[in-house]
Amino acid sequence: WVVYSKPVPANSRELWILFLQCSCVTAVVGGLFYNWMFASLEYSWHFSIAMATSFSLLLLLTLFLVHPARCVFSMIMPTLGTKQGRKLLLSTCMMIVMVNITPNIISNIKTILQVIQCICQNSSESLLNSTALLDRASWEFGDAIQETVHSINIHKPMNGHFQFSLLKNSSSIYQQMHLAGEKIGRDFLAVEELVKDSVRVGNKLVAGFSMLYLCFESTWYLKNYLTNLCFDNFYITKKLERLAVDRKASHLLPGSSKNLIRPTSLKLSREEAMLCLVQAVLLTVALLLLLLVVAMDHFAFSVADTALRKAAQFSMVPVALSIKYSAKVEVLPFILTLFQLPHKELPLKDFEKSYHHYLTFSSAQCRISSPVPPNPSVLLVVGLLFCILYATVFLQTYAHRLCRRIAGSFFESWEEKRAFYLYKKLSRKHKE
């Protein structure tokens, strides 16, 4: 670390040590950068390799030649434990949830609609087929009427049959229902692709912005550290203790322990504790929103699975059509009196028949996709990431202190000035 934090290497040995350190760091960072672009941001592998290689070479030259850049890069690591690191992890959680859970929800909703479409199509088809039953019954009934009329040799109608024209439009109905089902499928596929593309683009923008902001925040911290003696200067450091001992003013430090903290202690100031509490509340809100999406996934799968099982269990509804027809011809009384004939009735042929049909609501020919169960590994990964996020809420204070120590180790002369400034400030307050 002494060689890494030096502005200029003292000899060739330290120069080679620094080059080896920078090479190892850039190799590790380049591998992580490639994996991040290829696996998380879903770029192509050749583009990811080209970007990772270019980034690694540029980072190697920058770290090896520019001393402040090494300080900024070193502060990026603990900065990942602050709110900017949480933004990156939250972006990763959102990407995992949207890519793995949202398509499941859409697929299960599609399954529910396919079940409804199957029920509507089969019930409509079965209902239309029942018109064939009416047609057959009408023709048989009409034949019976014709036979009766022919047997008594009186007025003969041209045709005694009923005709149903509804069957002629059945193919049009099937075609319309098929087209409606295809349109629903295309709409859902378009929505699914739109959601995936939006999540990919949004995640890339958030990830790129977060990485740039990480670099900006570390640079901003170093700039304030080197230009403002008051900035983040409330720590009891070793240089401040040594300065107080040399000036025989060690009594100043215990008296200021309420306002000053040691960078290596676990003590949190009141402001730091309140900030951690606020960040934990905001993180809990984000967790509840993600859990709501996970709950929707489980609910959609439960409804789709139940609908599919219940549709398969639908029993056929029996439909019975009974026709009972009885007729007789009775000669008018005044005709019988006129011809002095006895009272007589001419019984005609009776017609009594039942027709049976079954209305079906489901069929094995329906193309219904299976419900997609929730992926438990997604919930496990999201849970682990949120455990890390909650840990960073309380570790951000110590990460901030680590940034302070890194800056002090890279610029020791400036750290002495800051310690001397804080010492004079404490002395002035003690005199007042």
Side-chain angles (χ1 to χ4, degrees):
W1 182 259
V2 173
V3 175
Y4 185 76
S5 60
K6 271 187 177 181
V8 179
N11 49 48
S12 59
R13 177 178 175 272
E14 291 187 353
L15 182 66
W16 281 109
I17 291 175
L18 177 62
F19 181 77
L20 181 62
Q21 287 176 331
C22 294
S23 300
C24 293
V25 169
T26 52
V28 173
V29 173
L32 293 175
F33 187 74
Y34 166 77
N35 184 71
W36 180 54
M37 292 193 65
F38 180 69
S40 180
L41 299 184
E42 298 183 346
Y43 284 103
S44 60
W45 66 270
H46 50 84
F47 179 77
S48 301
I49 290 178
M51 289 297 296
T53 304
S54 304
F55 176 75
S56 299
L57 292 176
L58 181 62
L59 183 63
L60 176 60
L61 292 176
T62 304
L63 293 181
F64 184 67
L65 298 177
V66 184
H67 174 251
R70 289 201 297 274
C71 180
V72 171
F73 179 79
S74 301
M75 285 191 295
I76 286 177
M77 299 303 146
T79 306
L80 288 172
T82 61
K83 61 182 181 179
Q84 296 307 318
R86 284 199 300 278
K87 288 181 180 180
L88 279 176
L89 287 179
L90 277 175
S91 171
T92 303
C93 287
M94 292 294 295
M95 184 67 178
I96 292 173
V97 168
M98 294 302 176
V99 170
N100 293 277
I101 293 182
T102 304
N104 282 12
I105 297 175
I106 295 177
S107 178
N108 289 326
I109 294 176
K110 188 191 302 182
T111 300
I112 296 172
L113 291 179
Q114 286 175 348
V115 171
I116 297 174
Q117 179 188 358
C118 177
I119 293 174
C120 293
Q121 183 173 351
N122 281 277
S123 59
S124 301
E125 183 178 355
S126 182
L127 186 61
L128 289 173
N129 288 338
S130 66
T131 61
L133 178 71
L134 295 175
D135 186 63
R136 184 161 62 91
S138 68
W139 277 95
E140 292 182 0
F141 182 50
D143 289 339
I145 294 177
Q146 290 285 357
E147 292 177 4
T148 303
V149 171
H150 282 296
S151 64
I152 59 176
N153 294 320
I154 58 174
H155 175 69
K156 301 178 180 179
M158 294 180 62
N159 195 347
H161 300 101
F162 302 96
Q163 291 186 357
F164 290 87
S165 60
L166 185 59
L167 282 172
K168 297 179 182 178
N169 298 326
S170 59
S171 60
S172 176
I173 294 176
Y174 298 153
Q175 184 180 5
Q176 292 296 326
M177 295 188 67
H178 180 70
L179 293 176
E182 287 187 346
K183 185 177 184 301
I184 292 174
R186 289 195 302 268
D187 291 344
F188 265 88
L189 184 61
V191 170
E192 185 174 353
E193 291 299 325
L194 178 62
V195 170
K196 287 183 178 180
D197 293 341
S198 301
V199 169
R200 290 192 189 100
V201 173
N203 187 67
K204 291 174 183 178
L205 292 176
V206 171
F209 176 77
S210 299
M211 288 301 298
L212 291 176
Y213 197 83
L214 276 175
C215 299
F216 169 77
E217 189 172 7
S218 299
T219 306
W220 175 81
Y221 183 92
L222 182 60
K223 178 257 180 186
N224 285 306
Y225 177 86
L226 296 175
T227 56
N228 187 359
L229 294 173
C230 296
F231 175 74
D232 198 25
N233 195 6
F234 51 85
Y235 299 101
I236 302 177
T237 60
K238 292 182 178 180
K239 293 185 182 295
L240 180 61
E241 289 180 333
R242 192 181 306 117
L243 185 61
V245 170
D246 294 341
R247 300 292 179 92
K248 297 180 181 181
S250 301
H251 60 280
L252 294 178
L253 301 183
S256 303
S257 59
K258 294 182 180 180
N259 299 322
L260 303 182
I261 58 176
R262 295 183 180 275
T264 56
S265 67
L266 298 178
K267 176 185 175 183
L268 293 176
S269 64
R270 183 177 179 182
E271 292 78 9
E272 291 171 338
M274 289 300 298
L275 180 61
C276 290
L277 181 61
V278 172
Q279 295 294 334
V281 171
L282 295 177
L283 190 59
T284 303
V285 174
L287 176 60
L288 291 177
L289 293 176
L290 286 181
L291 289 179
L292 180 62
V293 178
V294 174
M296 289 175 59
D297 184 25
H298 284 78
F299 177 74
F301 170 72
S302 176
V303 173
D305 185 60
T306 303
L308 191 61
R309 287 188 289 105
K310 294 297 184 182
Q313 296 173 359
F314 277 166
S315 59
M316 293 185 295
V317 178
V319 177
L321 174 64
S322 298
I323 300 178
K324 185 176 182 181
Y325 171 74
S326 179
K328 60 183 178 180
V329 177
E330 183 176 358
V331 182
L332 295 176
F334 75 92
I335 297 177
L336 295 174
T337 305
L338 179 63
F339 294 98
Q340 297 181 354
L341 296 174
H343 185 270
K344 186 178 181 181
E345 292 181 354
L346 299 176
L348 302 180
K349 185 178 179 181
D350 293 340
F351 181 85
E352 183 175 358
K353 199 168 184 179
S354 296
Y355 301 88
H356 298 279
H357 182 69
Y358 292 92
L359 294 178
T360 58
F361 296 94
S362 62
S363 173
Q365 298 178 353
C366 291
R367 293 182 299 175
I368 301 178
S369 57
S370 301
V372 181
N375 191 354
S377 60
V378 174
L379 188 59
L380 178 62
V381 171
V382 172
L384 291 176
L385 288 178
F386 264 90
C387 289
I388 298 174
L389 286 170
Y390 274 106
T392 59
V393 169
F394 301 97
L395 292 177
Q396 66 177 355
T397 300
Y398 307 108
H400 191 74
R401 296 177 187 178
L402 184 57
C403 290
R404 169 71 165 73
R405 296 189 66 186
I406 290 173
S409 65
F410 271 84
F411 300 93
E412 293 184 354
S413 59
W414 191 256
E415 180 65 19
E416 292 179 357
K417 293 181 181 179
R418 291 170 65 85
F420 185 70
Y421 172 81
L422 184 58
Y423 172 77
K424 290 198 302 182
K425 185 177 179 180
L426 295 176
S427 299
R428 187 167 55 252
K429 285 187 177 180
H430 180 70
K431 291 179 181 179
E432 292 176 356

